[in-house]
Amino acid sequence: MIYDFTYENPTRIHFGRSAMQHLTTELNNYGRNILLVYGRNSIKNNGIYDTVLAAMQATGKNVSELAGIKSNPTYAQVLAGAKIVREQHIDLILAVGGGSVIDCSKGIAAAAACTHGDPWTRYWMQGEEVEGTVVPIGTVLTMTGTASEMNGGSVITNEEQTIKQGRVFPLATFAPRFSILNPEYTYTVPRYQMVSGIFDTFSHLMEQYFSGSDDCTSDYLLEGDMLALISAARKAIVNPEDYEARSNIMWCATMALNKILSLSKTQDWMVHQIEHQLGAYTDCAHGVGLAIISIPYYRHICHFGLHRFVRFATHIWGVNPDGKSDEQIALEGIECLSRFIAELGIPQTLREVGTTEEMLPLIAASCNKCGGYHVPSTDEVLQMLKECF
Ligand code: NZQ
Ligand code: ZN
């Protein structure tokens, strides 16, 4: 059954090799003052910075810059950007990068609109609505995985509090107004980051899929995106410059979390909650952390939603169910997932991403608890973390 919903997404997507040619037209829709937000070195090394700057100059913009946004962007960077937005009367924030740069830009827009109190407490911890005028955001995507280019998500790390917290802002005000997606821009992404992004997308699909009992349209769409992603990922790890593979990975990622696939559906998201606190303690790459946690997590919870894990095993991995119990089929599906993670070359233990034994109880206690078929307790999360330590 499809439950009632209203969906509207304001992001205009320009996709493909020639997508960048739309930037000047997009820029002409906004006032003169632009805040250009980007990461550390990549866009200067691969020439994207020069291309973007040329478009700004051609349209007569005044450009302020906030550079050095780190992976797992920090609240301090959000506040630094908000100060520029206010002081320079910014008309558009142009985020050029991956999820971290785009998430930080949304955070900047929220903090700049905040009329009283501490934005972190109000918007990320208490989930209050943003009441002021929100500066629009546009993006040039250079790394795929998060779908931040077409959603309202903003995941920020408060280093002082050791909390990495996601906020999903309303699409109407925080989803980028436009996003430029050229798959060729992702060719220079290091392999480690490429596979991290691929698994991030796969995790988004699984966390929407592993919940609910209805034969819902969304579940079939999620399966389709998973199958497309597995196929493209296998080609991209052999040849990172395979345009067909990289373009499919890019579009799979955007579709996976622009909220269309979760319409009318309950969801899980506990793996993300654990990873966020893992990231707060270790600063690991988001998708890598998700991959490590996923295997013990799904082994634990599959018993609570066996029917869906049987479907995952047979529909996604082609597990032959003949002569096997539901539990055997479900666990074989999770084993296939584990082999896929190994095939991508992603680390499989927490030690490999800098986790210490002392961090495990802290991560387990501090992560938010939620779930699809089962909400795990702190003790259960700790057990899962020990299993992949
Ligand atoms: O800083 P630079 O030099 O730009 O290098 C970046 C960074 O080191 C590099 N990179 C990006 N594009 C490149 C490139 N290197 C070479 N060539 C290019 N074309 O890649 C590294 C990782 O970038 P980052 O933006 O951190 O990666 P990702 O896109 O995976 O974003 C991760 C962040 O997004 C959050 C995560 O928690 C994490 O903080 N998420 C956001 C979500 C959302 N908005 O809905 C949902 C996700 O579940 C996720 O939580
Ligand atoms: Zn994610």
Side-chain angles (χ1 to χ4, degrees):
M1 163 174 176
I2 301 288
Y3 298 100
D4 300 1
F5 64 82
T6 300
Y7 179 80
E8 183 179 2
N9 192 314
T11 308
R12 187 181 303 113
I13 297 285
H14 300 290
F15 191 98
R17 288 187 169 106
S18 61
M20 190 61 115
Q21 74 188 26
H22 297 280
L23 182 58
T24 48
T25 315
E26 291 290 358
L27 290 175
N28 280 330
N29 292 328
Y30 302 93
R32 283 173 64 88
N33 299 327
I34 309 285
L35 174 59
L36 175 62
V37 182
Y38 56 98
R40 285 181 271 209
N41 311 311
S42 72
I43 67 163
K44 290 204 167 159
N45 292 341
N46 59 24
I48 296 173
Y49 176 85
D50 291 337
T51 308
V52 168
L53 216 62
M56 305 261 224
Q57 281 160 357
T59 48
K61 303 297 183 188
N62 298 325
V63 184
S64 305
E65 293 195 9
L66 181 66
I69 303 304
K70 62 187 288 297
S71 291
N72 300 320
T74 65
Y75 184 51
Q77 292 180 311
V78 165
L79 293 179
K83 188 165 179 282
I84 301 174
V85 167
R86 287 204 196 96
E87 289 176 358
Q88 302 300 322
H89 307 288
I90 293 298
D91 299 302
L92 173 77
I93 301 174
L94 184 62
V96 183
S100 295
V101 170
I102 304 173
D103 282 16
C104 189
S105 297
K106 293 173 195 164
I108 290 169
C114 187
T115 53
H116 63 276
D118 172 38
W120 171 260
T121 310
R122 295 188 59 206
Y123 301 147
W124 281 270
M125 299 310 287
Q126 295 173 353
E128 286 181 36
E129 294 307 314
V130 179
E131 73 281 28
T133 306
V134 178
V135 177
I137 296 162
T139 87
V140 175
L141 188 67
T142 66
M143 142 102 202
T144 69
T146 66
S148 192
E149 66 275 11
M150 201 178 176
N151 70 30
S154 173
V155 185
I156 302 298
T157 299
N158 186 318
E159 291 181 305
E160 284 177 12
Q161 299 179 10
T162 323
I163 297 176
K164 180 177 170 182
Q165 178 74 21
R167 169 71 197 270
V168 182
F169 290 113
L171 287 174
T173 33
F174 281 91
R177 291 283 171 263
F178 64 88
S179 283
I180 290 173
L181 275 60
N182 180 344
E184 288 180 340
Y185 289 174
T186 66
Y187 288 174
T188 54
V189 172
R191 189 188 178 92
Y192 189 83
Q193 293 295 342
M194 176 182 82
V195 295
S196 175
I198 289 170
F199 197 83
D200 184 23
T201 299
F202 204 75
S203 185
H204 296 160
L205 295 166
M206 289 193 294
E207 296 198 57
Q208 292 167 94
Y209 184 71
F210 289 127
S211 183
S213 56
D214 291 332
D215 212 11
C216 175
T217 301
S218 294
D219 291 323
Y220 290 98
L221 295 173
L222 289 160
E223 287 175 351
D225 209 341
M226 282 189 224
L227 291 170
L229 184 60
I230 293 166
S231 166
R234 284 180 169 148
K235 290 176 191 149
I237 55 174
V238 175
N239 176 14
E241 299 200 6
D242 178 331
Y243 183 82
E244 189 186 327
R246 295 310 283 266
S247 57
N248 276 304
I249 289 170
M250 193 172 229
W251 191 233
C252 282
T254 305
M255 283 304 295
L257 204 56
N258 65 4
K259 302 290 174 177
I260 286 181
L261 303 189
S262 60
L263 291 173
S264 187
K265 205 178 172 305
T266 57
Q267 299 157 60
D268 184 325
W269 295 112
M270 188 59 208
V271 172
H272 265 67
Q273 297 307 322
I274 303 172
E275 191 290 327
H276 285 173
Q277 278 314 94
L278 175 67
Y281 279 90
T282 66
D283 205 19
C284 69
H286 173 61
V288 169
L290 294 170
I292 296 168
I293 296 159
S294 288
I295 299 305
Y297 180 78
Y298 290 125
R299 280 190 189 132
H300 271 259
I301 66 138
C302 70
H303 310 284
F304 298 94
L306 214 44
H307 63 284
R308 183 54 52 89
F309 284 88
V310 167
R311 181 170 160 173
F312 178 67
T314 53
H315 288 203
I316 302 302
W317 303 108
V319 170
N320 179 357
D322 292 349
K324 296 170 192 162
S325 68
D326 281 358
E327 189 163 4
Q328 283 172 324
I329 300 165
L331 289 172
E332 208 174 314
I334 296 166
E335 192 46 42
C336 292
L337 174 66
S338 177
R339 281 202 293 273
F340 179 58
I341 292 168
E343 200 181 327
L344 293 177
I346 296 178
Q348 307 209 29
T349 64
L350 293 175
R351 277 177 216 268
E352 291 168 81
V353 295
T355 319
T356 63
E357 206 161 355
E358 295 70 41
M359 290 176 187
L360 302 183
L362 300 172
I363 294 167
S366 60
C367 65
N368 299 324
K369 309 293 185 304
C370 58
Y373 297 116
H374 175 67
V375 179
S377 64
T378 297
D379 284 348
E380 286 175 286
V381 174
L382 183 57
Q383 182 57 34
M384 293 167 195
L385 292 173
K386 284 180 179 169
E387 285 173 22
C388 57
F389 180 62

